[in-house]
């Protein structure tokens, strides 16, 4: 597997600006997100505070940004990253069907909604998982439920069904994708509570109760600390220094995920700083390796 110089997670203003700067510095990188960009960019009816573009609409701004990255041959990899592991000197990133390796990572995942299902934080790591690719082997032959809120959750559920004995697939949010594996039973209902003792043993929906050994919760946005184990936060936002460095060496963060104010230009500016800091880190790492050899 070819190791990238950098992986950028999130195609909003922060991730896009980071990508533009890495491209100019001729670094190899993957930008993970949606080709339609962050929904938030296009939501603003009118934007008065974007320097040089007074009165631009969110949709127009999204079109300008799309054109900018496309014009620089920056491809957006349409995959959701469910887990980032520090491997000592590089990072491994898991999607529903593939793993990527990168020397550095820039988290540009946007603001995270702190609302969760009752029992979710208590049972995290004890039957609650956010990553089917990572944790499926723990449920070989067992019964699990998938709360499928993200668009690619169906794909991840099919992978899980190849390992687990039985999978309840419960689509929610904007996700309407269907699954076809014989081990999957699609159910409609709203998840109310995850129950158990030492580990998860049941899921309560508004329509019925299910006996399960595990609950996979697949959302478009995963809480930063769940995405990267060991990541330090302040009030739910990623702790960064002025160079957008996190507490994990080689891992940077930019934009709304680092705190308020939630604004386009702040996000883009931080994306630029994160990219330049990542380049500096790559150069230092290369120098150290040359010295050691
Ligand atoms: P986002 O734009 O939220 O982008 C993050 C992206 O990362 C998302 O697409 C998300 O799906 C993706 N992502 C998250 N996790 C993963 C993962 N694990 N794998 C892959 N992708 C992932 N700001 C202004 O300055 N002026 C305004 O007038 C203004 N108006 C606004 C109006 C509305 C209605 C809203 C909602 C916001 C407005 N904002 C405005 C705020 C602005 O939209 C945000 O500050 C900005 O979009 C933040 O950029 P970001 O790149 O940090 O995050």
């Amino acid at each position: 597997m070819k190791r990238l110089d950098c992986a950028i997670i999130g195609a909003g203003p922060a991730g896009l600006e980071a990508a533009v700067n890495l491209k100019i510095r001729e670094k190899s990188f993957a930008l993970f997100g949606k080709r339609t960009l962050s929904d938030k960019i296009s939501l603003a009816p009118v934007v008065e505070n974007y320097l040089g573009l007074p009165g631009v609409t969110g949709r127009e701004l999204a079109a300008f940004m799309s054109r900018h990255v496309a014009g620089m041959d920056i491809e957006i990899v349409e995959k959701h990253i469910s887990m980032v592991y520090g491997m000592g000197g590089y990072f491994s990133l898991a999607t529903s069907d593939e793993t990527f390796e990168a020397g550095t990572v820039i988290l540009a995942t946007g603001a995270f909604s702190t609302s969760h299902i009752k029992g979710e934080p208590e049972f995290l790591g004890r039957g609650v998982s956010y990553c089917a690719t990572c944790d499926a082997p723990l449920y070989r032959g067992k019964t699990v439920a998938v709360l499928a809120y993200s668009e690619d959750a169906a794909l991840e559920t099919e992978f899980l069904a190849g390992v687990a004995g039985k999978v309840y697939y419960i689509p929610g949010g904007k996700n309407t994708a269907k699954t076809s594996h014989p081990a999957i039973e699609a159910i409609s209902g709203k998840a109310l509570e995850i129950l158990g003792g030492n580990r998860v043993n049941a899921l309560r929906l508004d329509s019925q109760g299910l006996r399960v050994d595990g609950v996979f919760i697949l959302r478009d946005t995963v809480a930063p600390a769940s995405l990267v184990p060991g990541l330090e936060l302040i009030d739910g936002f990623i702790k960064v220094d002025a160079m957008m460095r996190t507490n994990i060496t080689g891992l940077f963060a930019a934009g709304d995920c680092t705190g308020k104010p939630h604004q386009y230009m702040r996000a883009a500016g931080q994306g630029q700083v994160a990219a330049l800091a990542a380049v500096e880190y790559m150069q230092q790492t290369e120098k150290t390796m040359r010295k050691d050899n």
Side-chain angles (χ1 to χ4, degrees), residues 273-284:
V273 175
L276 298 182
V279 170
E280 195 182 317
Y281 170 78
M282 290 169 209
Q283 287 163 346
Q284 276 167 2

Side-chain angles (χ1 to χ4, degrees), residues 40 73 75 104 120 215 223:
K40 278 203 195 148
D73 281 334
E75 198 204 334
T104 60
E120 177 184 336
V215 178

Side-chain angles (χ1 to χ4, degrees), residues 222-247:
V222 181
S226 306
L227 188 62
V228 192
L231 188 64
E232 207 177 314
L233 307 181
I234 300 180
D235 297 334
F237 293 109
I238 302 169
K239 185 180 168 193
V240 284
D241 66 10
M243 295 306 289
M244 301 297 121
R245 289 179 285 232
T246 69
N247 65 308

Side-chain angles (χ1 to χ4, degrees), residues 9-15 32-34 37-41 43-44 46-47 49 79-81 108-111 220-221 227 254-257 262-265 267:
I9 308 177
F32 295 98
K34 293 184 200 147
L37 309 187
S38 152
D39 297 340
K40 278 203 195 148
I41 305 176
L43 275 173
V46 62
V47 182
N49 63 346
K79 284 185 186 283
H80 181 261
I81 302 295
T109 49
D220 271 332
T221 310
L227 188 62
D256 286 4
C257 62
H262 292 165
Q263 298 280 271
Y264 297 119
M265 290 206 90

Side-chain angles (χ1 to χ4, degrees), residues 18-63:
V20 164
N21 282 274
L22 289 180
K23 187 77 183 185
I24 291 168
R25 297 301 176 111
E26 299 182 341
K27 297 297 171 193
S28 66
F29 64 92
L31 170 61
F32 295 98
K34 293 184 200 147
R35 283 194 198 112
T36 50
L37 309 187
S38 152
D39 297 340
K40 278 203 195 148
I41 305 176
S42 30
L43 275 173
V46 62
V47 182
E48 297 295 0
N49 63 346
Y50 204 96
L51 189 64
L53 297 172
V56 70
T57 67
R59 275 170 190 267
E60 285 166 345
L61 197 53

Side-chain angles (χ1 to χ4, degrees), residues 139 145 184 192 200 213:
Y139 297 91
I184 300 175
L192 298 181
V200 167
D213 301 300

